[in-house]
Amino acid sequence: MKAVEYRLPKEFDKSFIVFKEQGLYFPCPWHYHPEYEFVLVNKSSGRRMVGDHIGTFLEGDLVLMGPSLPHVWVNDQKYFEKENTETADAVVVHFLKDFLGENFFNLPESEPLKKILNLSNRGLVILGHTRYQITKIMNAMPRQNGLKRLSSLFEIFDILANSSEYELLASPSYMENTRDMYSDRFSKITEYILRNFHRDITLKEVADQANMATTTFCNFFKEHFRMTFVEYLNAIRIGHVCKLLADRDKTIISVAYECGFNNLANFNRQFKRLKDMTPKEYRKALEAEPMIA
């Protein structure tokens, strides 16, 4: 399943894109683009795939995705049936990193927002009162122009920058273009893990790479990743498993071993925990016809 690059036309008098996606179903295939993207589903239901994450969406679903992150929204089968009378409806906002100039996101005031946008390279599903507030603003934006429309986007930025009501979707291996928010030590840690995840890696050897005591490293890692080292390592491995499962020539067992899992019971347990489905079910979902139509 190869992702295609999508580009949307931008109006000459507008610095970013707002449009309503309406029809019997959402038509876009598995794709990516250079813009950040908010997707608010007002009507419809089905499955969404963001990076290596496969989940479900219902009315009210709100997701923010970073540049070049492959994704697709696939409506439930009933939306493709001839007798269907229900419609799909969404509001989509696209903006480039430099749409406000090269230095906007480097301003001190933008630092909290910059961190959220960096996290969006894995995709964020926005929850709770934050979702309620942003939904009201986004639904008004298609009717807005000029500074009013721009101020609405700034209002969304402010709400999101001060919220923790979100969950990450794709695994850490899909997190790209975020190194500028971390120290050289942090980059060294992540690069070492990505180069060696296919074999046994001990906590101590990674701590040594960072020139940190094991306890200090554990605290540092949890603070930056919001998960333990072992949880992160498993997420990296499962993320790579998901990529390899698209290749039908590889067996699930060989993929597990190739990605560093020496115990199949543990592999199946970790995959189920992270993806809420078995490896076999994930491979079947990848091959579902609507996902590649």
Side-chain angles (χ1 to χ4, degrees):
M1 182 174 59
K2 184 177 180 180
V4 297
E5 184 174 2
Y6 259 41
R7 297 290 183 99
L8 291 173
K10 188 176 71 175
E11 297 176 68
F12 75 94
D13 60 340
K14 294 179 173 62
S15 59
F16 65 99
I17 297 169
V18 179
F19 70 97
K20 288 182 70 68
E21 187 80 80
Q22 294 177 309
L24 294 177
Y25 53 86
F26 299 135
C28 283
W30 177 240
H31 70 286
Y32 65 95
H33 41 70
E35 295 89 356
Y36 291 90
E37 179 177 16
F38 285 99
V39 177
L40 168 64
V41 177
N42 286 315
K43 293 181 181 179
S44 193
S45 61
R47 292 175 296 144
R48 57 168 151 75
M49 186 172 180
V50 178
D52 61 357
H53 168 87
I54 295 178
T56 59
F57 70 88
L58 299 169
E59 294 182 2
D61 190 62
L62 176 60
V63 173
L64 168 63
M65 293 166 291
S68 301
L69 180 63
H71 56 276
V72 68
W73 268 242
V74 181
N75 303 86
D76 286 330
Q77 186 59 39
K78 65 180 181 180
Y79 290 91
F80 297 92
E81 296 172 354
K82 291 183 179 180
E83 61 271 20
N84 173 55
T85 58
E86 297 184 48
T87 58
D89 182 287
V91 177
V92 179
V93 176
H94 279 193
F95 60 94
L96 289 166
K97 184 176 182 179
D98 61 354
F99 86 108
L100 292 169
E102 293 182 2
N103 295 319
F104 174 78
F105 290 113
N106 292 323
L107 296 173
E109 294 85 352
S110 298
E111 189 62 27
L113 173 62
K114 184 178 178 181
K115 292 180 180 179
I116 292 294
L117 293 181
N118 281 329
L119 288 174
S120 75
N121 286 288
R122 291 174 57 187
L124 303 176
V125 58
I126 302 168
L127 308 169
H129 187 61
T130 301
R131 180 177 66 181
Y132 171 77
Q133 290 177 291
I134 294 177
T135 293
K136 289 181 63 178
I137 298 168
M138 284 187 63
N139 277 325
M141 289 176 74
R143 302 186 299 275
Q144 296 172 348
N145 289 291
L147 286 176
K148 178 61 178 176
R149 196 177 81 142
L150 183 60
S151 68
S152 291
L153 185 59
F154 269 70
E155 189 175 358
I156 292 173
F157 286 166
D158 182 62
I159 293 169
L160 198 55
N162 293 284
S163 174
S164 59
E165 294 182 302
Y166 57 82
E167 292 179 0
L168 299 173
L169 296 177
S171 67
S173 60
Y174 271 84
M175 188 176 175
E176 300 175 359
N177 305 319
T178 58
R179 293 180 183 177
D180 57 334
M181 70 179 284
Y182 302 121
S183 66
D184 290 339
R185 174 184 287 172
F186 186 78
S187 295
K188 190 174 183 180
I189 293 169
T190 57
E191 289 170 7
Y192 186 83
I193 295 171
L194 288 171
R195 286 198 308 268
N196 295 280
F197 69 85
H198 59 280
R199 64 171 181 82
D200 287 335
I201 310 178
T202 66
L203 186 59
K204 184 180 184 306
E205 73 174 281
V206 182
D208 287 345
Q209 288 291 317
N211 294 316
M212 301 170 75
T214 302
T215 301
T216 305
F217 172 77
C218 287
N219 293 334
F220 175 84
F221 201 95
K222 187 71 178 285
E223 178 184 358
H224 283 84
F225 281 100
R226 302 173 68 184
M227 64 178 71
T228 67
F229 164 72
V230 172
E231 289 170 337
Y232 181 82
L233 179 59
N234 283 328
I236 288 287
R237 287 170 170 167
I238 294 300
H240 195 61
V241 165
C242 290
K243 292 181 181 180
L244 296 184
L245 286 177
D247 183 356
R248 288 293 296 180
D249 292 334
K250 294 179 179 287
T251 67
I252 292 175
I253 293 175
S254 67
V255 166
Y257 284 118
E258 185 175 339
C259 294
F261 288 100
N262 297 320
N263 183 299
L264 292 179
N266 180 53
F267 163 65
N268 286 312
R269 182 168 59 251
Q270 296 299 332
F271 196 101
K272 180 76 172 179
R273 181 178 69 84
L274 288 170
K275 299 302 176 187
D276 199 31
M277 63 180 71
T278 66
K280 185 176 181 180
E281 290 169 338
Y282 185 89
R283 172 170 271 177
K284 185 176 181 180
L286 282 177
E287 297 171 344
E289 185 64 27
M291 299 284 277
I292 57 176

